[in-house]
Amino acid sequence: MAGTASANTDSELGDLPEWDLRDLYPAPDSPELQGDLERARQQARQLRQDYEGRIAELHGDSLAVAVERYEAIEEMLGRLMSYAQLTYSGDMTDPETGRFFQSMQEEATTISSDLIFFTLEINALSDEALNARVAESSRLAHYWPWLRDVRAMRPYQLSDELERFINDKQVTGRGAWTRLFDETMASLRFPLDGEQLTSSEILNKLSSPSEETRRKAGKTFGEKLGEHVPTFAHIHNTLIKDKAIEDQWRGFERPVSSRNLANHVEDEVVDALVSAVRESYPRLSHRYYRLKAKWLGKDTLAYWDRNAPLPEDDDRTVPWGEARSTVLNAYAAFSPRMAEIGQHFFDKSWIDAPTRAGKAPGAFSHPTVPSAHPYVLLNYQGRTRDVMTLAHELGHGVHQYLAGQHQGALMADTPLTLAETASVFGEMLTFQRMLANERDPGRRKVMLAGKVEDMINTVVRQIAFHTFEARLHEERKHGEILASRIGEIWLETQREALGEVFSFDEEYQNFWAYIPHFIHVPFYVYAYAFGDCLVNSLYAVYEQAESGFAEQYLEMLAAGGTKRHRELLAPFGLDAADPGFWYKGLGLIERFIDELEQYD
């Protein structure tokens, strides 16, 4: 259950924790939740009544008071919607849970409608007027990073009426289509050897040591997705068009530009990342998978062999207790403070680990709000990759915890490009510690290969996703895209990324349909590659640092959304705007592949 703490016991995995959401609210129908909902409603109305049309009249501390009141309402709304989202993620197929989530979205949308004026009127101030107010009030100066980021949207801001209309329509527009996607995916069952598996469980079978199991898993996954491809294609076409309409009204020239603006990163920086990775495909994924084909005794790899374990891999199940100690020990070796924060997630029921029917697939860390703490969702099945996923999501959790403790509701959120830094760094710490402790050459080869595959998945695969997504948005400008054409674009971008060593059966053209990022957050995916390359460069600095790196690193995490990427990376001598920056990060993957070639 999402609202209580309990243990899910598996004979091999051990006791898998379930999260306890009572730190947010006791229950969906609790007086505490209803009380916060009413307070948010009343305070939003009062804020609008007190300040609408008057922001330009406020000076210094008076404007600071208004921002503080606005932040308090945002904190309440964040707590309410975090609870609703996490409850829904625990079981997306339960009608009552879905009804609760939808009703909370509608309530939050209505309340937010009373708040829209606030940022619009702040943006109506001239730079000179706002700077003068910040200069005369230390309370307002505290919020300068938030004011700076709000005002980044000024060139693309619409009229008050249109902004309110867009907000109000979200619940029956993008929000409704996103919910349809989530509930459709959560309800799908994939038949395999007499069982009906969830998407998380069937995808796990693609890492089976049995080639026949992988083949059947790939076939049944692709074929079942194919049965629903018309629905998924309609959802994608609708949401891409919806985004294009809003982008046109706002004046964004490229589909990716609004995401880049939200990530506080320049179009040119993202373009450089994408170009560097695509140019490196032959030296990274193509080269590695040719090696893997040899190791598996094949001339070509079927798509279901992409995540196949190597012949030397003993496929040992990693119990939950071992996974926990592995990650926390790696964190502690880097920074005791980092491990101390990570320990809270295990001790205080902040993690939901077991697979369940209806549970959201994949993994995430939800920051909730600064007055509470993050929660981590996993679908833990005992593979080494699941240990890396735990390290990844716990890295997010530590980052979110520190930012929330130091920055407050308006400035804790980190741009997606930097949000992946702590997660990928946590993975790297865990991997490097495991590798350093391994003396058996065969096991080292397996570990290195696993890490290279993870990095290829994070960098190459995500940039391939980005290229696929960019092409869809471009083709949608000329009319609705047929499901068959979406499949063609998918295969083209996958072949480019993975190389000629792979063969793809017909059902693989449907695999695009399960990826939630295209639906939830358009153009999210490049942030993974951004974060991985950034961390590779950052880790190289750490290896050369004499002392003080861990303290600087935690300070960077605690900054939350208050600093842009150049400010955050400057203390480490790194600059993502440098054209050579990305090749430095990609170089680490190449070096790992160089080492693996010695085993050939």
Side-chain angles (χ1 to χ4, degrees):
M1 295 292 292
T4 59
S6 60
N8 186 303
T9 303
D10 181 285
S11 58
E12 287 189 292
L13 301 180
D15 289 340
L16 297 178
E18 296 185 11
W19 56 27
D20 185 347
L21 301 182
R22 288 177 295 184
D23 286 351
L24 295 172
Y25 293 105
D29 58 354
S30 65
E32 292 88 344
L33 185 147
Q34 294 303 319
D36 272 0
L37 189 59
E38 182 57 30
R39 275 187 289 276
R41 189 181 295 120
Q42 291 179 359
Q43 289 182 23
R45 288 175 185 161
Q46 192 63 51
L47 188 83
R48 185 177 181 183
Q49 181 179 326
D50 291 347
Y51 293 114
E52 188 172 27
R54 294 188 53 237
I55 295 297
E57 302 171 10
L58 303 179
H59 290 272
D61 286 349
S62 298
L63 182 54
V65 168
V67 173
E68 289 163 1
R69 288 175 58 181
Y70 176 84
E71 181 176 41
I73 300 167
E74 288 290 333
E75 169 96 13
M76 266 189 289
L77 287 175
R79 179 180 284 267
L80 289 161
M81 286 312 302
S82 294
Y83 180 74
Q85 178 67 62
L86 293 171
T87 301
Y88 178 60
S89 297
D91 188 354
M92 291 179 164
T93 58
D94 178 63
E96 283 301 315
T97 299
R99 181 176 179 273
F100 169 64
F101 179 58
Q102 178 68 17
S103 66
M104 291 302 297
Q105 282 189 311
E106 293 178 5
E107 291 281 8
T109 299
T110 300
I111 294 168
S112 295
S113 186
D114 281 328
L115 301 175
I116 288 173
F117 81 93
F118 194 75
T119 53
L120 297 181
E121 291 193 25
I122 286 176
N123 281 353
L125 296 172
S126 68
D127 289 340
E128 294 77 12
L130 183 61
N131 290 339
R133 286 160 174 76
V134 169
E136 68 188 25
S137 170
S138 59
R139 289 173 69 179
L140 187 59
H142 168 74
Y143 289 100
W144 172 247
W146 176 75
L147 293 167
R148 172 202 63 196
D149 293 345
V150 165
R151 288 170 71 80
M153 192 67 182
R154 286 179 78 196
Y156 311 100
Q157 186 171 291
L158 302 176
S159 69
D160 293 13
E161 292 77 10
L162 277 175
E163 293 289 357
R164 188 167 289 113
F165 176 76
I166 290 171
N167 176 77
D168 290 350
K169 287 285 285 182
Q170 285 289 336
V171 72
T172 55
R174 173 167 290 279
W177 290 104
T178 300
R179 181 184 172 191
L180 175 62
F181 171 84
D182 287 341
E183 293 186 358
T184 301
M185 273 305 304
S187 69
L188 294 186
R189 295 295 176 269
F190 302 89
L192 183 69
D193 296 335
E195 293 185 278
Q196 296 291 322
L197 304 182
T198 65
S199 60
S200 292
E201 291 168 332
I202 196 70
L203 288 169
N204 187 54
K205 297 295 184 182
L206 290 173
S207 299
S208 169
S210 165
E211 182 175 359
E212 181 61 13
T213 298
R214 296 195 305 272
R215 186 191 70 81
K216 290 192 293 187
K219 291 282 187 182
T220 192
F221 187 64
E223 289 166 1
K224 178 61 70 173
L225 288 176
E227 294 174 14
H228 296 268
V229 149
T231 298
F232 291 129
H234 185 57
I235 293 171
H236 277 69
N237 270 288
T238 301
L239 289 178
I240 291 172
K241 184 63 176 178
D242 178 80
K243 174 173 166 48
I245 292 170
E246 184 171 336
D247 281 354
Q248 182 179 11
W249 275 84
R250 293 192 181 282
F252 287 110
E253 293 185 4
R254 298 169 56 189
V256 72
S257 295
S258 59
R259 175 58 47 208
N260 294 345
L261 182 67
N263 285 343
H264 311 312
V265 62
E266 301 79 10
D267 285 0
E268 310 80 65
V269 171
V270 176
D271 291 344
L273 163 66
V274 173
S275 295
V277 175
R278 292 182 70 182
E279 190 269 332
S280 299
Y281 284 171
R283 301 193 303 277
L284 301 178
S285 49
H286 297 189
R287 182 161 65 117
Y288 172 75
Y289 287 122
R290 283 196 299 269
L291 276 176
K292 185 167 186 175
K294 284 185 181 180
W295 295 334
L296 295 179
K298 296 172 176 286
D299 294 324
T300 61
L301 293 174
Y303 72 82
W304 54 76
D305 291 328
R306 185 172 60 83
N307 288 328
L310 300 190
E312 299 92 335
D313 194 340
D314 59 12
D315 196 41
R316 181 177 69 89
T317 296
V318 182
W320 176 252
E322 182 180 336
R324 178 184 59 207
S325 60
T326 296
V327 174
L328 288 179
N329 287 341
Y331 279 24
F334 173 72
S335 164
R337 173 61 174 154
M338 192 169 164
E340 177 188 342
I341 297 169
Q343 187 72 50
H344 292 327
F345 286 77
F346 298 95
D347 294 345
K348 299 181 180 182
S349 300
W350 296 356
I351 301 177
D352 193 89
T355 60
R356 289 191 301 271
K359 181 179 175 180
F364 63 73
S365 180
H366 193 305
T368 75
V369 289
S371 58
H373 53 77
Y375 282 96
V376 166
L377 179 142
L378 305 169
N379 280 276
Y380 189 82
Q381 297 176 77
R383 296 193 179 277
T384 301
R385 278 194 172 94
D386 292 331
V387 181
M388 291 296 107
T389 299
L390 172 60
H392 181 102
E393 300 304 338
L394 198 63
H396 275 310
V398 170
H399 191 179
Q400 292 161 351
Y401 179 90
L402 284 168
Q405 292 289 306
H406 289 84
Q407 302 303 338
L410 294 183
M411 296 183 293
D413 284 349
T414 306
L416 296 179
T417 43
L418 297 172
E420 293 301 330
T421 302
S423 54
V424 179
F425 196 83
E427 279 190 76
M428 183 63 79
L429 289 172
T430 303
F431 168 74
Q432 293 284 10
R433 182 172 177 83
M434 292 171 67
L435 187 67
N437 291 334
E438 184 55 64
R439 296 291 179 263
D440 180 76
R443 285 296 305 159
R444 283 184 63 85
K445 174 186 174 183
V446 168
M447 290 177 66
L448 269 172
K451 183 58 177 173
V452 167
E453 290 191 20
D454 287 344
M455 296 170 90
I456 287 174
N457 285 338
T458 304
V459 178
V460 170
R461 188 165 165 80
Q462 299 302 327
I463 292 303
F465 286 174
H466 173 85
T467 305
F468 166 77
E469 192 172 10
R471 288 185 59 182
L472 284 190
H473 282 257
E474 187 61 33
E475 289 210 14
R476 184 65 179 89
K477 294 177 182 178
H478 309 294
E480 185 164 290
I481 314 172
L482 295 176
S484 59
R485 177 58 182 153
I486 298 177
E488 290 174 0
I489 297 171
W490 172 257
L491 287 176
E492 289 168 7
T493 53
Q494 289 295 295
R495 286 192 178 104
E496 179 196 18
L498 298 177
E500 295 180 357
V501 74
F502 274 94
S503 63
F504 301 98
D505 287 3
E506 182 179 1
E507 70 280 350
Y508 188 71
Q509 68 182 334
N510 303 320
F511 272 53
W512 58 269
Y514 85 94
I515 299 167
H517 298 80
F518 302 148
I519 301 297
H520 292 168
V521 187
F523 294 100
Y524 182 117
V525 289
Y526 77 74
Y528 288 108
F530 194 112
D532 196 280
C533 291
L534 189 157
V535 164
N536 292 345
S537 297
L538 193 63
Y539 196 85
V541 175
Y542 165 55
E543 289 182 310
Q544 300 299 318
E546 295 183 2
S547 63
F549 181 93
E551 291 75 17
Q552 279 187 312
Y553 174 78
L554 294 183
E555 184 179 334
M556 178 180 74
L557 301 189
T562 61
K563 295 181 180 180
R564 302 286 175 86
H565 62 86
R566 286 182 175 174
E567 296 174 272
L568 286 172
L569 295 177
F572 304 99
L574 300 172
D575 181 6
D578 178 356
F581 174 82
W582 303 113
Y583 291 100
K584 291 178 185 176
L586 295 170
L588 178 61
I589 309 177
E590 289 192 66
R591 289 195 294 276
F592 282 161
I593 299 174
D594 291 343
E595 185 173 346
L596 281 170
E597 284 182 330
Q598 299 174 16
Y599 293 96
D600 188 20

